[in-house]
Amino acid sequence: MPVIAVLALDGIPGHQLTAPGLVFGTAARHHPPVAYDLRICTAPGFTATGEPGCFRVEAPWDPAVLKEADTVLIPGHAAFRDEPAPEIVAALRGVAARGGRIGAVGTGTFTLAATGLLDGRRAATARRYTRELARRHPRIEVDPEGEVVADGGFHSAAGVLGGVDLYLDLITLDYGLGVAIETERQLFLQLHAPAEDVDADGPDDAAHSAYTPPGSSLEPTTAWLAANLHHPIALADIAGRAGLGVRSLTRRFRAETGLSPLQYLLRIRIQRAQWLLERTEDPVERIAAQTGLGTPANLRAHFLRATGTTPSVYRAAFRSLVADFTPSQQSQHPNGNPE
């Protein structure tokens, strides 16, 4: 299991401390084959997170854990202009020397830059500090927009929403774009319909994403399913397409996706419905036909059980979120501080 170490330095913004667990935990929870061992480590002198909402943190790991990490994350922190402690510099250089990844969020890029590892590379930081980073480290090509920048094993970003965009990029590298997209959807669209519309047990496992591991022997079959959702598809049809008996097909699907073939089919029908609700103006009747769910009533029943909300509420909420997170909105922060 890949080890991700978060280097929490004194005055780290609270949302940057919690964002890695939120993102990588969501990916693992909704995609059972995905797994990360996330470890928060604090350096000597750490006392608390920064404002707003300052709180104390006790972490079970210290910088020694960086020696075991496949990926090290450096969030922003209060004293980012100070030279990092020699043991931190040595540990980060050691991670790079053995081919590990290092990600810097917001002002955490200053700490990474102080090691010399970014010299001759591109990098990003919080937008209000791009000129300062370029002035302090002229050998670094600083991205003025703060977009996610990947240069070799080094990843950096402005830190909007705590570095979520950077972590989604890492998930894409590890498990593919599909997993990253579904993780992002689960992060921002954990919607719930009014209580009277939801089953007593709440959303079922269909809220999780259908996932086929890269290189899976089922890829030709699952690709065929995705291309033919608008047609009626029976279990025997899937088995025939895969060239397997029904029992062998079921065993393989469960081994590689954690689902039966028909459970997998239902999940990708729901995912297609989500995509169409998000990106088109198609009425529910048309979406029901395009996804193979038949009638609006059938679509609504499966969608409600899978997501905890109705198609109309989901579409309205998604449009609202898109309006909230457009670039013009992202660039406006209280006191001009994107951290």
Side-chain angles (χ1 to χ4, degrees), residues 238-292:
I238 306 173
R241 183 72 186 185
L244 297 169
V246 169
R247 294 179 62 182
S248 296
L249 177 77
T250 300
R251 282 196 301 270
R252 187 168 297 180
F253 258 87
R254 288 198 179 280
E256 298 194 23
T257 72
L259 306 169
S260 72
L262 292 181
Q263 287 172 330
Y264 186 96
L265 176 60
L266 177 58
R267 290 193 190 181
I268 61 174
R269 289 192 196 280
I270 295 297
Q271 288 169 22
R272 179 66 60 80
Q274 288 177 304
W275 190 94
L276 291 168
L277 288 164
E278 293 164 6
R279 294 166 174 82
T280 75
E281 300 296 335
D282 291 350
V284 171
E285 291 81 3
R286 178 169 173 77
I287 292 174
Q290 288 177 304
T291 58

Side-chain angles (χ1 to χ4, degrees), residues 216-228:
S216 166
S217 63
L218 290 173
E219 281 187 322
T221 303
T222 56
W224 175 79
L225 288 174
N228 289 275

Side-chain angles (χ1 to χ4, degrees), residues 16-195:
Q16 291 193 19
L17 178 64
T18 57
L22 178 65
V23 178
F24 294 110
T26 297
R29 186 166 59 254
H30 291 278
H31 306 274
V34 176
Y36 290 104
D37 181 357
L38 186 68
R39 304 179 185 182
I40 308 294
C41 67
T42 54
F46 182 91
T47 58
T49 66
E51 297 292 347
C54 177
F55 56 91
R56 296 184 63 84
V57 176
E58 292 185 7
W61 289 284
D62 60 28
V65 77
L66 302 186
K67 297 178 181 179
E68 307 171 13
D70 302 286
T71 301
V72 173
L73 303 176
I74 312 172
H77 55 101
F80 64 90
R81 295 183 177 92
D82 295 348
E83 287 294 316
E87 61 268 29
I88 296 297
V89 174
L92 292 174
R93 288 176 176 169
V95 172
R98 58 182 168 78
R101 297 186 303 201
I102 302 178
V105 175
T107 55
T109 304
F110 281 74
T111 300
L112 180 56
T115 67
L117 292 169
L118 293 179
D119 287 355
R121 296 182 180 275
R122 297 178 62 246
T125 188
R127 293 186 183 94
R128 68 180 298 190
Y129 298 114
T130 54
R131 292 182 181 178
E132 183 176 352
L133 179 64
R135 185 174 64 253
R136 283 172 170 262
H137 301 278
R139 296 188 63 188
I140 299 174
E141 182 184 344
V142 181
D143 182 276
E145 298 301 321
E147 302 291 343
V148 178
V149 173
D151 192 331
F154 303 97
H155 305 257
S156 54
V160 175
L161 303 179
V164 168
D165 48 357
L166 189 150
Y167 306 145
L168 290 170
D169 267 27
L170 295 180
I171 290 171
T172 301
L173 291 173
D174 292 340
Y175 293 101
L177 181 60
V179 172
I181 289 172
E182 290 303 321
T183 298
E184 184 177 30
R185 175 179 283 130
Q186 293 298 332
L187 285 170
F188 294 111
L189 298 175
Q190 292 293 336
L191 307 177
H192 296 280

